[in-house]
């Protein structure tokens, strides 16, 4: 029988640490187990097993998805690695699911979900990423910028998989806050943004007001992002957070919203495929060009396609507990009607 | 091979759109284009183009000198087209600052008395902090477009039916 929403809400929280096997005698990769889930990889594929089914994914797609899930701290709401497997952030605990948001699995009763304390799941996923990511493959990079994850185990790329998001507390460049990106702090201009103006605003503070005025070139900042589909935070106005990001190729996951978020396309173009959060049924295609603005309602999942590296401003609301207010129906999934 | 990063402007933008493939309404995406909004707006009008509960992003058509404003919380101004100077004054009259519970910025009757805090010169792509409690004025050196990160207030204008795809 498919799990009901009530049954999922009452899932016990598993706190036991994950288990790792010895390296496979042929391909060199470890097997990882947490709760009832088992993760194995070979030279091409990731195999995920749970009590109700087995799921197979291309290993590069799996690692790109897992990289975002880990780097985002499970993000806001649903991170669907594909139409079958993913995680749901409950903020403190995380659900790992197979087919729980896929109508076919639900209809056949083969969906499966377990709930983990976030820290133990994060430790499992971090260790898996470290073991399965070969030297020369960067799961944060666009495909044209990196090598392959395929083949037998070949070293690691811990520098890439341990990349930390840059999160300003108030405003980039203020004393003690997140720094402006530059060659000197290891952020060269990306090849796809070689034509972006690198000038910074002129900030003239009168004596006594030094450190109170601030400004920086956001386009220059984004032109120097070393990663794709991984928002930073550059300014916070109470609960309003600007989370810009540079995008190239495909967002590796379908992000399922647990709150409203907004996209402001600052350069170039992204096409978003939007589907129902619970069933994965197609809903719309949203094409965004420079200057376009669109809301992503709280009841959808979306995946972006960016043919050239582009600049996207993701705008989030950091108010604690919003996910519950949307889930309970207190807040409508669309923020304005007309 | 050279690359070209495409930005927009009031005189040169291409608009995308929403294509419905399921049982839905394009209006749910509140889809608009900031350059189209600014092109149809009065100077310094603050049109809400994104809203998330009380938080807003407001689009401003910037031409000439703006009124003076003050706000009791931070705001930011992202210049998407053109060039501008932002001037800051610490008001001598502390009563000019809105009360703590007042959200969004408040328009002042004119340039306030007080200490000059400084100014910021910005061009396209520059994000400028408008710190809480500082009176500020934009001076656009050419037709410009500003996105204001703020909270809905007296100056915020909602025109969803006019700006959004439906």
């Amino acid at each position: 029988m498919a799990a009901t929403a009530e049954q999922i809400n009452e899932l016990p929280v598993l706190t036991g640490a994950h288990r790792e096997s010895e390296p496979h005698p042929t391909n060199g990769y470890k097997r990882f187990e947490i709760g009832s889930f088992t993760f194995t990889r070979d030279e091409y594929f990731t195999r995920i097993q749970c009590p109700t089914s087995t799921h197979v994914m291309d290993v590069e797609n799996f690692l790109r998805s897992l990289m975002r899930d880990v780097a985002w701290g499970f993000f806001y709401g649903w991170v669907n690695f594909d139409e079958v497997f993913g995680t749901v952030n409950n903020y403190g605990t995380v659900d790992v699911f197979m087919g729980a948001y896929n109508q076919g699995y639900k209809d056949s009763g083969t969906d499966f979900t377990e709930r983990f304390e976030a820290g133990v799941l994060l430790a499992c996923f971090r260790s898996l990423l470290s073991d399965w990511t070969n030297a020369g493959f960067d799961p944060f990079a666009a495909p044209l910028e990196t090598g392959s994850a395929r083949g037998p185990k070949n070293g690691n790329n811990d520098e890439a998989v341990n990349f930390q998001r840059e999160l300003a507390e108030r405003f980039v460049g203020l004393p003690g806050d997140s720094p402006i990106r530059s060659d000197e702090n290891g952020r060269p201009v990306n090849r796809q943004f070689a034509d972006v103006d690198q000038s910074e605003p002129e900030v003239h503070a009168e004596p006594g007001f030094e450190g109170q005025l601030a400004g920086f070139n956001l386009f220059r900042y984004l032109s120097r992002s070393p990663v794709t589909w991984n928002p930073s935070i550059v300014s916070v106005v109470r609960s309003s957070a600007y989370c810009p990001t540079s995008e190239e190729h495909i967002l590796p996951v379908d992000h399922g919203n647990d709150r409203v978020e907004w996209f402001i396309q600052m350069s170039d173009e992204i096409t978003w495929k939007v589907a129902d959060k619970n069933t994965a049924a197609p809903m719309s295609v949203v094409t965004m060009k420079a200057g376009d603005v669109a809301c992503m309602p709280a009841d959808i999942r979306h995946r972006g396609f960016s043919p050239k590296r582009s600049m996207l401003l993701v705008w989030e609301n950091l108010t604690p507990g919003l996910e519950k207010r949307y889930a309970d129906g207190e807040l409508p999934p669309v923020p304005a009607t007309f | 091979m050279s690359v070209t990063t495409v930005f927009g402007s009031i005189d040169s933008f291409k608009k995308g759109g929403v294509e419905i493939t399921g049982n839905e309404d394009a209006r749910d995406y509140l889809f608009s284009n900031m350059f189209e909004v600014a092109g149809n707006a009065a100077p310094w009008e603050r049109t809400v183009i994104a809203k998330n509960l009380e938080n807003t992003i407001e689009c401003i058509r910037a031409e000439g000198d703006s009124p003076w404003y003050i706000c009791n919380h931070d705001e930011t101004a992202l210049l998407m087209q053109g060039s501008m100077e932002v001037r800051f004054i610490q008001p001598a009259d502390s009563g000019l600052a809105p009360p703590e519970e007042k959200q969004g910025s408040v328009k002042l009757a004119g340039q306030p008395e007080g200490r000059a805090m400084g100014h910021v010169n910005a061009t396209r792509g520059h994000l400028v902090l408008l710190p809480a409690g500082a009176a500020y004025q934009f001076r656009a050196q050419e037709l410009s477009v500003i996105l204001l990160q703020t909270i809905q207030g007296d100056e915020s204008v909602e025109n969803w039916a006019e700006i959004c795809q439906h």
Side-chain angles (χ1 to χ4, degrees):
Chain A
M1 284 290 289
T4 64
E6 290 72 24
Q7 288 170 325
I8 288 176
N9 283 340
E10 294 169 3
L11 285 172
V13 178
L14 306 182
T15 58
H18 73 276
R19 303 162 299 278
E20 302 180 9
S21 73
E22 292 299 311
H24 188 277
T26 305
N27 63 42
Y29 297 108
K30 294 179 181 176
R31 181 182 70 252
F32 291 78
E33 297 175 3
I34 186 162
S36 304
F37 285 91
T38 300
F39 300 84
T40 54
R41 77 155 285 185
D42 55 33
E43 296 189 19
Y44 285 117
F45 303 113
T46 293
R47 188 176 302 268
I48 308 167
Q49 292 173 291
C50 73
T52 56
S53 61
T54 296
H55 186 53
V56 181
M57 291 182 65
D58 174 86
V59 72
E60 289 192 354
N61 290 344
F62 175 81
L63 290 173
R64 289 190 176 106
S65 299
L66 187 66
M67 184 74 259
R68 271 67 182 188
D69 208 13
V70 167
W72 297 342
F74 304 111
F75 211 42
Y76 301 114
W78 284 249
V79 175
N80 299 280
F81 287 40
D82 60 8
E83 71 281 5
V84 174
F85 177 80
T87 63
V88 184
N89 194 355
N90 307 308
Y91 308 95
T93 67
V94 178
D95 294 350
V96 178
F97 64 82
M98 191 95 94
Y101 303 93
N102 179 300
Q103 199 60 50
Y105 279 73
K106 295 294 285 184
D107 289 346
S108 65
T110 51
D111 60 296
F112 184 80
T113 303
E114 276 185 331
R115 180 163 296 168
F116 298 94
E117 191 274 319
V120 300
L121 185 64
L122 196 61
C124 173
F125 283 178
R126 281 194 189 283
S127 186
L128 188 157
L129 260 178
S130 175
D131 187 66
W132 288 12
T133 303
N134 286 326
F137 178 70
D138 180 353
F140 262 135
L144 288 176
E145 296 179 313
T146 190
S148 172
R150 296 174 178 137
K153 184 164 175 59
N154 173 28
N156 64 54
N157 193 356
D158 283 349
E159 183 181 0
V161 302
N162 289 325
F163 180 86
Q164 295 294 311
R165 297 173 68 197
E166 293 161 275
L167 308 175
E169 292 186 2
R170 184 182 175 203
F171 193 86
V172 161
L174 281 175
D177 213 327
S178 187
I180 290 170
R181 292 173 179 159
S182 65
D183 289 341
E184 289 69 34
N185 61 19
R187 295 285 184 266
V189 177
N190 183 270
R191 80 204 194 288
Q192 291 256 294
F193 287 137
D195 60 337
V196 172
D197 174 47
Q198 297 293 305
S199 69
E200 289 290 349
E202 299 170 17
V203 179
H204 302 277
E206 296 292 339
F209 295 103
E210 299 89 347
Q212 295 186 38
L213 304 185
F216 71 99
N217 184 343
L218 177 60
F219 292 175
R220 167 188 155 121
Y221 183 90
L222 283 171
S223 76
R224 294 168 177 271
S225 170
V227 296
T228 60
W229 308 104
N230 187 48
S232 306
I233 294 181
V234 298
S235 63
V236 178
V237 172
R238 294 195 176 162
S239 60
S240 158
Y242 271 4
C243 311
T245 164
S246 60
E247 319 294 49
E248 184 177 339
H249 191 235
I250 303 173
L251 173 60
V253 306
D254 280 273
H255 175 216
N257 292 58
D258 69 359
R259 66 194 64 203
V260 169
E261 65 179 348
W262 284 81
F263 293 156
I264 292 91
Q265 191 70 37
M266 295 190 291
S267 84
D268 304 288
E269 179 175 335
I270 297 177
T271 298
W272 297 94
K273 291 169 71 172
V274 180
D276 185 279
K277 185 166 69 179
N278 293 315
T279 67
M283 293 174 72
S284 67
V285 177
V286 180
T287 301
M288 300 189 67
K289 299 175 185 286
D292 285 344
V293 179
C295 157
M296 290 289 123
D299 58 356
I300 58 101
R301 67 175 78 180
H302 55 270
R303 182 182 293 245
F305 299 75
S306 185
K308 177 208 173 281
R309 205 173 186 96
S310 65
M311 299 184 184
L312 176 70
L313 176 57
V314 179
W315 183 46
E316 299 284 358
N317 188 325
L318 305 179
T319 302
L322 269 188
E323 70 285 356
K324 188 169 188 312
R325 295 171 66 189
Y326 282 107
D328 291 347
E330 175 192 339
L331 297 173
V334 178
T337 56
F338 61 92
Chain B
M1 194 166 67
S2 66
V3 293
T4 301
T5 301
V6 177
F7 296 103
S9 67
I10 289 175
D11 294 329
S12 177
F13 70 91
K14 292 180 179 176
K15 190 175 176 182
V18 179
E19 302 166 68
I20 296 298
T21 56
N23 183 21
E24 227 201 346
D25 190 329
R27 287 182 291 193
D28 289 349
Y29 297 88
L30 298 164
F31 189 99
S32 68
N33 181 284
M34 67 177 78
F35 300 113
E36 185 175 59
V37 170
N40 294 324
W44 307 112
E45 185 175 56
R46 298 178 167 198
T47 306
V48 177
I49 58 168
K51 179 180 180 181
N52 200 329
L53 301 179
E54 71 274 21
N55 300 326
T56 57
I57 298 176
E58 301 176 7
C59 180
I60 300 172
R61 177 192 180 100
E63 280 186 293
D65 294 355
S66 79
W68 282 85
Y69 299 94
I70 193 167
C71 189
N72 71 21
H73 51 76
D74 282 351
E75 299 174 291
T76 73
L78 173 60
L79 194 60
M80 293 297 296
Q81 174 186 339
S83 59
M84 67 175 180
E85 177 188 15
V86 192
R87 302 169 66 203
F88 298 94
I89 290 177
Q90 183 183 55
D93 177 3
S94 59
L96 277 186
E100 177 65 27
E101 66 277 10
K102 180 75 173 174
Q103 297 186 331
S105 41
V106 172
K107 189 189 296 182
L108 300 174
Q111 178 174 332
E113 297 292 326
R115 281 181 67 194
M117 298 175 68
H119 65 277
V120 177
N121 293 325
T123 58
R124 187 176 69 184
H126 294 180
L127 182 65
V128 180
L129 175 67
L130 310 174
Y136 64 87
Q137 181 194 41
F138 301 115
R139 308 182 94 176
Q141 282 113 19
E142 57 190 297
L143 177 59
S144 301
V145 177
I146 300 169
L147 292 190
L148 192 70
Q149 179 188 15
T150 186
I151 298 175
Q152 190 160 20
D154 297 345
E155 300 300 312
S156 311
V157 176
E158 290 189 86
N159 280 331
W160 298 108
E162 293 177 26
I163 69 171
C164 292
Q165 179 182 340
H166 53 87

